[in-house]
């Protein structure tokens, strides 16, 4: 739906409502969509010219990522409305948004990692992006979110609430988003910060974590939030760090070593976005943050993602005409190869193998035989036809 007016700055609202089916469902996510759909598009986007896109119970994380990427590429203001449930990947301890086909056994492959969302939004100009969320945190994710909040990155305002699962086995209603929609349909349209405060005070459940942009008057990013106490309820969410000359890397690594992998990955993606805007995709600064993200994936126990990022870093250095025997290029290729060897899923190893072979042929490294060792390992992993390995 597109609404055109005199305002030349077109805004986009992306409405995503997703939850698994059956016993795994913790929230009636799509229940928020009819209420939001009844709101004038220009109010949802907070602009005169408006585009509204709905995703109801999407099943494929790559499809969701593609829609988010397309919306993030638009130059005007972007407002993301999100209803759903959050889970922890027990292997990596990363926060994921469950989708329609997500089950506990398939979480890593059928849900959307939160740091993917943060990464797609990181390149946007600060102050042009707002997220409004109504989320249920699974029992394993709730303590982590209470302790760490939910990071999206610099210049992104985040409003909403997170609640634990209902004590009775019934889906939670997205009452926060419904309350916002009811106010807008009544004809009132106060500033979003004011509307959030009013809605949080009205809902005011002690078990809810209400989210608002971090300010100097809000609790510090890692402090345990106090329960809501009255009409001035507010809690922190995205750590909206200003760009500065201070090195953010020690704090990011400290978060990773403390097990706060989602926070570390999101902050690194934020700084990579800053480097892309300030220096360009081919810059040494952007490559630096790509390598930081690769190492964070290693620390989070995701060797496949780490391998992908190290290969991308090696390719970025080669694209800048660094020679194949440059220590930094060799180091990136060696780390990609090592992380590939750590992948426990044969299918993922096979998916990444051809790209790694191509990189290794160009950057064989200091030890002879790397390409041959890689080829032999791929033969062992490959399915066979008539007794002959297929690569």
């Amino acid at each position: 739906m597109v609404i055109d007016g005199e305002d030349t700055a077109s805004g986009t609202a992306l409405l995503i409502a997703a939850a698994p089916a059956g016993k795994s469902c913790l929230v009636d996510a799509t229940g928020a969509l009819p209420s939001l759909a009844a709101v004038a598009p220009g109010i949802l986007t907070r602009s005169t010219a408006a585009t509204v896109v709905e995703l109801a119970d999407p099943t494929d994380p790559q499809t969701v990522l593609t829609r988010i990427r397309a919306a993030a590429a638009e130059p005007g203001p972007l407002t993301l409305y999100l209803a759903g449930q959050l889970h922890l990947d027990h292997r990596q301890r990363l926060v994921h948004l469950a989708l329609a086909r997500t089950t506990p056994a398939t979480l890593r492959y059928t849900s959307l990692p939160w740091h993917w969302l943060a990464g797609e939004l990181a390149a946007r100009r600060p102050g042009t992006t707002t997220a409004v969320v109504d989320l249920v945190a699974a029992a394993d994710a709730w303590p982590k979110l209470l302790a760490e909040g939910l990071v999206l990155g610099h210049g992104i305002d985040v409003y909403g609430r997170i609640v634990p699962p209902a004590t009775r086995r019934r889906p939670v209603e997205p009452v926060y988003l419904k309350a916002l929609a009811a106010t807008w349909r009544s004809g009132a349209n106060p500033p979003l910060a004011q509307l959030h405060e009013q809605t949080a005070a009205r809902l005011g459940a002690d078990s809810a974590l209400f989210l608002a942009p971090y300010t100097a008057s809000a609790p510090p990013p890692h402090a345990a939030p106090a329960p809501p106490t009255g009409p001035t309820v507010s809690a922190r969410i995205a750590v909206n760090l200003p760009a500065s000359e201070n090195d953010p890397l020690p704090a990011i690594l400290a978060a990773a070593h403390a097990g706060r992998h989602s926070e570390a990955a999101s902050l690194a993606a934020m700084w990579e976005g800053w480097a892309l805007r300030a220096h360009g995709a081919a810059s040494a600064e952007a490559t630096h943050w790509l390598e930081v993200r690769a190492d964070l994936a290693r620390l989070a126990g995701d060797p496949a993602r780490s391998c992908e990022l190290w290969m991308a870093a090696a390719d970025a250095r080669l694209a800048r005409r660094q020679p194949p025997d440059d220590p930094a290029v060799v180091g990136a290729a060696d780390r990609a190869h090592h992380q590939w060897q750590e992948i426990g899923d044969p299918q993922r190893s096979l998916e990444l193998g051809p790209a790694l072979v191509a990189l290794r042929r160009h950057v064989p490294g200091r030890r002879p035989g790397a390409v041959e060792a890689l080829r032999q390992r791929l033969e062992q992993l490959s399915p066979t036809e008539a007794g002959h390995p297929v690569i």
Side-chain angles (χ1 to χ4, degrees), residues 75-98:
L78 169 64
T79 307
L80 173 67
Y81 295 87
L82 188 59
Q85 60 191 65
L86 302 176
H87 295 259
L88 277 190
D89 175 355
H90 290 288
R91 181 177 175 185
Q92 304 167 42
R93 307 296 293 174
L94 297 176
V95 175
H96 289 62
L97 176 71

Side-chain angles (χ1 to χ4, degrees), residues 234-257:
S234 65
R236 73 327 184 225
I237 182 167
V239 182
N240 293 323
L241 298 174
S244 71
E245 297 302 318
N246 297 325
D247 184 6
L249 187 55
I252 292 173
L253 292 177
H257 286 295

Side-chain angles (χ1 to χ4, degrees), residues 214-381:
Y214 176 68
T215 65
S217 61
H222 306 308
T229 57
T232 58
V233 167
S234 65
R236 73 327 184 225
I237 182 167
V239 182
N240 293 323
L241 298 174
S244 71
E245 297 302 318
N246 297 325
D247 184 6
L249 187 55
I252 292 173
L253 292 177
H257 286 295
R260 302 195 305 271
H261 298 298
S262 242
E263 175 186 349
S266 296
L267 288 172
M270 175 193 79
W271 284 97
E272 183 184 10
W274 170 82
L276 289 169
R277 292 190 300 271
H279 303 285
S283 66
E285 291 83 358
T287 303
H288 163 73
W289 285 108
L290 188 61
E291 292 176 341
V292 169
R293 290 174 57 216
D295 204 40
L296 291 176
R298 175 187 65 84
L299 292 172
D302 190 352
R305 183 60 173 158
S306 183
C307 173
E308 286 180 309
L309 292 169
W310 279 118
M311 286 193 293
D315 289 340
R317 290 185 177 277
L318 290 168
R320 290 207 308 274
R321 300 186 181 275
Q322 290 180 242
D325 59 353
D326 184 296
V329 177
V330 173
D334 286 348
R335 290 179 177 91
H337 195 156
H338 176 73
Q339 289 299 297
W340 183 82
Q341 292 173 318
E342 297 294 313
I343 299 172
D345 181 352
Q347 184 59 39
R348 285 293 285 142
S349 296
L350 287 169
E351 290 171 359
L352 295 173
L356 184 57
V357 168
L359 175 63
R360 268 309 195 195
R361 284 174 175 159
H362 194 51
V363 188
R366 292 178 287 271
R367 295 182 180 180
V371 175
E372 180 61 22
L374 181 56
R375 188 188 65 80
Q376 291 177 0
R377 176 60 177 156
L378 281 170
E379 287 181 348
Q380 295 171 359
L381 292 171

